[in-house]
Amino acid sequence: MTVVASEVDSSTDVLDALEAESIHIIREVLAEFERPGLLFSGGKDSVVVLHLLAKAVAPARVPIPVVHVDTGHNFDEVIAFRDATVERYGLNLVVGSMQEYIDDGRLRENADGTRNRLQTRVLLDTIEQNKFDVVFGGARRDEDKARAKERILSLRDEFGGWDPRNQRPEVWSLYNGRHAAGWHVRAFPISNWTERDIWAYIERERIQLPPIYFAHEREVFEREGMIRAVTPVSQPNDDEPVLTRTVRYRTVGDASCTGAVLSEARTVPEVLDELALSTLTERGATRADDRISAAAMEDRKKEGYF
């Protein structure tokens, strides 16, 4: 019998319930759709979804491609982790290259040099070119107000757009995957997880992550209250001194728009202890692209963003 997180009493292990719900969703999607894919950034949430997917189909191998939109501004450690993960699982990796779009003129660089919002065009083209009718994502409702509005199965129209005012009800654990030709569905099997649930599950399952999630020394500079790494795509201005600090990352995005946090947490248990005391939000404190406006994420999602 499938256990749904919302139906579990307090004596039942929360992680067991969340895992069971997510695997149920994954199996429903695999059974209902013809061409699924998994959006894989190399971040902790997509890593957990991949782990759940592998459990859902075990002892078979993961049967669907993983899709990575490579902005060209990724941290080197994350790309190395992505490639090692693909090899370890024996995955089919589909890459949408933003640099190719910029080089041939299909996209133009933003004036501030960041590329996060430009991902949407590459993402939607990659979904269309590979004829994916559903793609799994690692979004969680506790991350952001817009993500809190998403259904477990969320429709995208023929332009890849999302309408938060026009969503299907989802009662109990019944999911509706019907969609019109040319439309597709985003599936979010870890919607009901929190950041702390993710880390607790990573600890329990001994899941590997990119090393930038753990405290390490790095050359950084501060800009608009965020700690930015010194990288080829993220350089300090003359009035921004470079310092060596012990930091880690709570989210994995582009080096040009993702901030680090001061931290001494070098292991998963230490990260969990740190989270228990933190008053900073996961994305708002470390993602410059989410600071543009209160509705920044929702505006991007309406256009087809992750």
Side-chain angles (χ1 to χ4, degrees), residues 213-216 248 263-267 270-272 274:
Y213 275 114
F214 303 99
H216 58 285
R248 75 175 189 89
S263 174
E264 297 292 336
R266 300 178 187 275
T267 65
E270 290 174 357
V271 170
L272 283 164
E274 183 181 90

Side-chain angles (χ1 to χ4, degrees), residues 69-72 95-109 115 121-122 125-126 129:
V69 175
D70 185 350
T71 66
V95 177
S97 171
M98 186 179 301
Q99 191 62 53
E100 290 181 5
Y101 276 63
I102 292 171
D103 290 345
D104 65 19
R106 281 178 288 174
L107 283 175
R108 182 179 298 176
E109 292 267 24
R115 294 181 172 180
R121 167 75 186 279
V122 183
D125 284 357
T126 303
Q129 289 160 8

